[in-house]
Amino acid sequence: MSETENKVAGRTMSGRVVSDIMDKTITVMVERIVRHPMYGKYMKRSSKFHVHDAENVAKTGDTVEIKASRPYSKTKCWSLVKVL
């Protein structure tokens, strides 16, 4: 295998920081819009993720970009890419 085949582009998302109380961890809410299958109305759906922030740079209210990474703990398997 070549070196480029081993590199897999991780899943990335952007969301808003809703909590930065924990040390080296932030909680990010990612919102998406889905269409109701029967009625056709568009609805907001949100998910919260615990994200590893090693330098504690993100603060509550910031928009951030996150990517999937190795598990850091039981609930934390995302890492911070950058603050937008």
Side-chain angles (χ1 to χ4, degrees):
M1 264 197 240
S2 68
E3 188 175 326
T4 57
E5 290 178 18
N6 291 336
K7 293 181 181 178
V8 178
R11 184 175 172 199
T12 61
M13 289 190 251
S14 62
R16 186 171 40 90
V17 178
V18 292
S19 172
D20 65 342
I21 295 170
M22 298 170 277
D23 186 35
K24 297 186 181 180
T25 304
I26 56 175
T27 304
V28 176
M29 185 183 339
V30 176
E31 289 185 335
R32 65 189 196 286
I33 297 183
V34 296
R35 190 168 188 248
H36 192 280
M38 183 174 172
Y39 300 112
K41 182 177 178 176
Y42 289 95
M43 307 173 290
K44 267 188 191 175
R45 293 287 178 236
S46 61
S47 301
K48 285 184 181 178
F49 300 102
H50 287 167
V51 179
H52 183 67
D53 179 13
E55 288 85 32
N56 290 320
V57 292
K59 300 298 176 198
T60 303
D62 290 346
T63 303
V64 294
E65 185 177 333
I66 61 175
K67 71 169 186 160
S69 63
R70 67 176 181 85
Y72 290 99
S73 68
K74 180 180 175 181
T75 59
K76 186 166 63 166
C77 59
W78 293 86
S79 61
L80 179 67
V81 176
K82 62 183 172 181
V83 177
L84 302 175

